Amino acid sequence: VSAPVDPAGTLAAARGGDRGALARLLTAVERGGPDARDIGRAAFQQSGGAYTVGITGAPGAGKSTLTSASVAAARTHGERVAVLAIDPSSPYTGGAILGDRVRMSEHALDEGVFIRSMASRGHLGGLALATPEAVRVLDAAGFGWVVIETVGVGQVEVEVAGAADTTVVVVNPGWGDAVQANKAGLMEIADVFVVNKADRPGAEETRRHLESMLDLTRRTASDSSWRPPVVLTVGTTGEGAGELWSAVARHRAQLEAAGTLTRRRGDRLRNELGLVIEQRLRARAEHLLDAAGRDDIERQVAAGDLDPWSAADQVLRHLDA
Ligand SMILES: Nc1nc2c(ncn2[C@@H]2O[C@H](COP(=O)(O)OP(=O)(O)OP(=O)(O)O)[C@@H](O)[C@H]2O)c(=O)[nH]1
Ligand SMILES: [Mg+2]
């Protein structure tokens, strides 16, 4: 257990370019609890509306390679960029992160780039809360762009991708033949499609497949004027990264012009409020169960001597006390 973080002072240091301070803030946010709460408050006041780009797709699709190439493209425009690489499948910061470091090592000495990996906070739902908190810290630290890379493992990718202003979905040639189950969800969240590994056969076919799926997909009313472009890239050479960057910039301009960005961000904050309340109530519930005698109650319920509803009543009786 590390010492508590002084939110305002540490944020000021991070803003001034102290990367160690920034890392400490993100660690506290990842850990959750009272520190995270205080940091969240302080960062909220100082955040200036950084633009967030979510990059999601199957394991190994080339998200990190592509993120690195896009960061390079963004840097030619003078933007300061932070990358959050999120692995919902692992509660540990493990090997994937090492891979990310290697993949993005070209930016290691660039002061205008900050790369950070984040593992889930014990349970999957924790990421839905930790991600916007971490983005806010990076925003308050002066990064105008935050790229959120998430491995696609189903529902969580959709939740986490929901934390971004623009969501980029990365697929590979041959995707047309791949699992159907995830497709609908991906079609819904994608603002930009990327067919990465376009140096391999079948890229054009996959593009056509995506375009025809887009023809069939009805976009939500608020986004009806935007049809997700399909960009072909070769992450390893950087081919198409510039085009990807301009597709994101066009989507941003469209969101801003239509007033959709403000609305989307408002929706996200509303959603976050719900999550914060839920999380605190859940912590409260654990506490109440402990206070009421968890072992005894759980044993009775497990043995069938006490029904779950009566048990819950018994526990929640302490709520008003
Ligand atoms: N042939 C080819 N290989 C690529 C391309 N882009 C990435 N790769 C390779 O694909 C592998 C996976 O790339 P990553 O960038 O780590 O993919 P990722 O989606 O971030 O992977 P995870 O984070 O582990 O899910 C690496 O070996 C890359 O060098 C590409 O355009 N063409
Ligand atoms: Mg990766």
Side-chain angles (χ1 to χ4, degrees):
V1 181
S2 48
V5 179
D6 152 39
T10 317
L11 256 181
R15 238 185 138 73
D18 182 340
R19 299 167 86 84
L22 183 51
R24 282 197 298 284
L25 290 169
L26 291 168
T27 301
V29 161
E30 194 177 16
R31 205 169 44 219
D35 272 350
R37 208 177 290 174
D38 293 344
I39 292 165
R41 278 200 195 99
F44 191 85
Q45 283 160 12
Q46 290 185 33
S47 57
Y51 198 81
T52 51
V53 180
I55 297 196
T56 192
K63 298 177 295 298
S64 298
T65 310
L66 214 52
T67 297
S68 190
S70 305
V71 167
R75 292 298 288 148
T76 64
H77 294 83
E79 310 279 1
R80 295 186 76 211
V81 189
V83 178
L84 267 183
I86 292 172
D87 185 356
S89 62
S90 161
Y92 310 106
T93 35
I97 282 88
L98 189 64
D100 286 341
R101 288 236 179 86
V102 174
R103 226 87 74 209
M104 301 189 202
S105 60
E106 60 174 303
H107 305 294
L109 297 175
D110 186 343
E111 290 289 313
V113 178
F114 186 86
I115 296 165
R116 166 81 184 205
S117 299
M118 205 161 72
S120 73
R121 199 193 261 175
H123 60 102
L124 292 181
L127 273 177
L129 207 51
T131 303
E133 285 172 0
V135 167
R136 205 166 283 132
V137 167
L138 293 163
D139 182 348
F143 290 91
W145 290 80
V146 180
V147 179
I148 308 167
E149 178 192 332
T150 338
V151 184
V153 290
Q155 186 51 37
V156 182
E157 88 192 289
V158 173
E159 261 172 42
V160 175
D165 295 320
T166 296
T167 299
V168 177
V169 171
V170 183
V171 302
N172 294 144
W175 180 75
D177 323 318
V179 248
Q180 301 289 324
N182 238 0
K183 276 188 188 171
L186 289 182
M187 297 305 290
E188 217 159 273
I189 61 167
D191 297 308
V192 176
F193 273 108
V194 171
V195 182
N196 187 46
K197 307 196 183 180
D199 53 325
R200 293 189 179 166
E204 269 304 328
E205 202 183 324
T206 301
R207 184 219 292 267
R208 280 197 300 277
H209 180 75
L210 277 166
E211 294 286 3
S212 61
M213 285 198 67
L214 286 168
D215 290 338
L216 297 172
T217 311
R218 266 186 47 216
R219 302 292 293 170
T220 56
S222 62
D223 284 346
S224 57
S225 54
W226 178 259
R227 182 188 167 99
V230 181
V231 181
L232 266 55
T233 60
V234 182
T236 37
T237 63
E239 209 181 313
E243 201 192 324
L244 168 58
W245 181 253
S246 53
V248 170
R250 264 186 291 127
H251 182 243
R252 176 181 188 164
Q254 196 264 357
L255 285 183
E256 283 173 346
T260 320
L261 184 60
T262 314
R263 198 163 56 240
R264 273 195 185 188
R265 288 181 171 182
D267 286 347
R268 288 203 316 251
L269 283 169
R270 227 191 336 254
N271 182 47
E272 196 177 345
L273 167 65
L275 289 173
V276 169
I277 293 173
E278 259 174 49
Q279 195 198 41
R280 287 206 205 169
L281 283 178
R282 203 177 302 135
R284 189 89 194 277
E286 295 296 322
H287 185 77
L288 284 172
L289 185 52
D290 284 338
R294 176 192 295 270
D295 290 350
D296 194 39
I297 291 173
E298 284 184 345
R299 194 173 342 100
Q300 289 183 60
V301 171
D305 296 335
L306 181 65
D307 69 86
W309 298 273
S310 307
D313 285 345
Q314 207 172 306
V315 171
L316 294 177
R317 203 174 300 138
H318 296 258
L319 196 56
D320 305 315

